[in-house]
């Protein structure tokens, strides 16, 4: 467990560093707006260049963290706070070291002014890798995730759709403020690339996950699903093929971010349990995608 805890904190630090590098080297210099508080920071830095993107992000993250703790309690934990504080610190430090002009960053060796699409791909890849590592620790990088969680709670929208709405609003604000219609298109490329990288790092690229769990401690697993994850599930009557013993199999659908939470809890509760994780390509119902009206 100690080694596991150390590895999680390494993920947080490395993830924050990768996220900062993505913005400083490939996103901010080319005025790409990939949503979130740091995307908003890029727009504000364009309007008021005296203040760095990381500082803008930190100024927005702190009140969002305070509001989230008030609404959700300590649900987001210390790793989210650490990621939200380390990322802008790394951003400002790296900007101080390498500058913000593409022609002079690292001696101009990565100047992509004439190939902004390539900067979108590299920036999206680094950003996705950073956010993905942070998500693997059951934390978030702050910003968009916090806003989306609040919107999801009060408007009863799926968290994925809430994130989409928030990012779309930031991109639209960037279009209005900068007046360049090409920038939202580049931003969409960055968002798409980063989301794909996040998926592959967190759980191999799928969306929701379908779990089949065989355990002798199903009451403890049931309590975790209902109270901690705030999801529902089903007990399926089963019988062991070899022993013929009657069992109850847990059937539950979770988001990709909750798979590692389930895995860790089952390992702690019943190391002898048997779990199958299956891709759920479309999940309709409460807590997931709603049924479309005819």
């Amino acid at each position: 467990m100690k080694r596991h805890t150390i590895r999680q904190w390494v993920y947080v630090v490395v993830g924050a560093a990768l996220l900062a590098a993505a913005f400083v080297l490939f996103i901010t210099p080319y005025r790409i707006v990939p949503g979130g508080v740091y995307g908003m920071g890029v727009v504000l830095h364009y309007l008021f260049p005296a203040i760095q993107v990381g500082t803008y992000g930190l100024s927005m993250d702190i009140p969002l963290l305070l509001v989230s703790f008030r609404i959700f309690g300590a649900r987001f934990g210390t790793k989210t706070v650490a990621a939200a504080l380390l990322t802008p610190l790394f951003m400002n430090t790296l900007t101080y070291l390498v500058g913000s002009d593409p022609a002079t960053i690292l001696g101009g060796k990565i100047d992509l002014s004439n190939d902004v699409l390539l900067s979108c791909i590299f920036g999206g890849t680094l950003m996705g890798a950073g956010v993905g590592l942070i998500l693997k620790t059951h934390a978030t990088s702050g910003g968009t995730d916090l806003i989306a969680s609040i919107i999801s709670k009060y408007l009863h929208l799926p968290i994925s759709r809430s994130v989409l709405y928030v990012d779309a609003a930031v991109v639209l604000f960037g279009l209005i403020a900068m007046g360049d219609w090409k920038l939202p298109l580049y931003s969409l490329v960055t968002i798409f690339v980063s989301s794909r990288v996040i998926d592959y790092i967190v759980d191999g690229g799928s969306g929701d996950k379908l779990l089949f769990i065989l355990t002798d401690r199903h009451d403890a697993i049931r309590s975790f699903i209902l109270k901690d994850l705030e999801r529902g599930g089903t007990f399926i009557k089963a019988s062991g093929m070899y022993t013929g013993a009657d069992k109850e199999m847990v059937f539950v659908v979770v988001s990709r971010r909750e798979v590692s939470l389930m895995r860790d809890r089952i390992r702690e509760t019943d190391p002898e349990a048997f779990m199958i994780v299956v891709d759920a390509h479309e999940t309709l119902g409460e807590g997931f995608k709603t049924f479309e009206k005819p």
Side-chain angles (χ1 to χ4, degrees):
M1 290 300 296
K2 186 176 181 180
R3 189 183 300 113
H4 176 70
T5 301
I6 294 174
R7 183 170 65 248
Q8 287 198 325
W9 279 104
V10 170
Y11 284 166
V12 170
V13 175
V14 174
L18 290 175
L19 183 56
F23 274 86
V24 174
L25 301 179
F26 298 107
I27 295 177
T28 303
Y30 307 101
R31 295 185 296 170
I32 299 169
V33 186
V37 295
Y38 298 112
M40 180 68 75
V42 172
V43 180
L44 294 175
H45 177 68
Y46 169 78
L47 297 174
F48 309 101
I51 301 176
Q52 296 299 324
V53 175
T55 304
Y56 282 121
L58 181 63
S59 66
M60 288 181 277
D61 263 338
I62 289 177
L64 284 173
L65 285 169
L66 294 176
V67 171
S68 298
F69 279 124
R70 180 64 181 270
I71 295 175
F72 300 107
R75 169 180 166 186
F76 293 102
T78 56
K79 295 186 183 68
T80 291
V81 176
L85 297 178
L86 284 174
T87 301
L89 175 64
F90 287 157
M91 279 188 185
N92 288 351
T93 302
L94 189 58
T95 301
Y96 175 78
L97 293 175
V98 304
S100 57
D101 186 352
T104 59
I105 292 177
L106 299 181
K109 294 180 181 179
I110 58 172
D111 186 358
L112 298 174
S113 300
N114 297 322
D115 197 351
V116 180
L117 182 61
L118 192 58
S119 71
C120 293
I121 295 174
F122 277 108
T125 301
L126 281 179
M127 185 170 71
V131 174
L133 288 175
I134 294 172
L135 289 178
K136 281 182 73 70
T137 70
H138 318 320
T140 75
S141 57
T144 297
D145 289 339
L146 301 180
I147 299 173
S149 297
I150 296 171
I151 293 175
S152 177
K153 177 179 178 65
Y154 289 105
L155 298 183
H156 307 291
L157 294 173
I159 189 71
S160 58
R161 188 179 301 177
S162 300
V163 170
L164 176 62
Y165 290 159
V166 174
D167 284 342
V170 174
V171 173
L172 181 60
F173 177 65
L175 169 62
I176 296 172
M178 298 181 181
D180 188 346
W181 66 269
K182 293 181 181 179
L183 293 178
L185 300 181
Y186 287 130
S187 301
L188 291 176
V189 173
T190 304
I191 293 171
F192 175 79
V193 173
S194 64
S195 65
R196 294 301 92 195
V197 175
I198 290 171
D199 286 342
Y200 279 108
I201 287 180
V202 173
D203 63 7
S206 62
D208 298 326
K209 296 291 187 177
L210 175 62
L211 308 184
F212 295 96
I213 306 165
L214 282 172
T215 174
D216 293 330
R217 302 289 305 280
H218 50 74
D219 287 338
I221 301 302
R222 172 184 177 274
S223 177
F224 177 73
I225 293 171
L226 294 178
K227 296 180 181 179
D228 294 85
L229 297 185
E230 296 182 351
R231 295 207 178 275
T234 304
F235 283 128
I236 300 176
K237 295 295 183 181
S239 178
M241 184 177 293
Y242 179 75
T243 63
D246 292 333
K247 295 179 177 292
E248 286 188 328
M249 181 168 59
V250 179
F251 169 86
V252 62
V253 178
V254 298
S255 69
R256 59 183 173 82
R257 300 180 184 181
E258 294 165 337
V259 174
S260 57
L261 290 174
M262 285 292 300
R263 186 185 298 118
D264 290 346
R265 178 51 62 96
I266 292 172
R267 182 176 61 240
E268 296 171 4
T269 304
D270 183 9
E272 303 299 322
F274 184 80
M275 182 174 77
I276 301 174
V277 182
V278 181
D279 291 342
H281 295 289
E282 186 174 26
T283 309
L284 304 174
E286 184 177 355
F288 296 93
K289 183 179 177 182
T290 57
F291 286 94
E292 295 181 0
K293 295 181 179 180

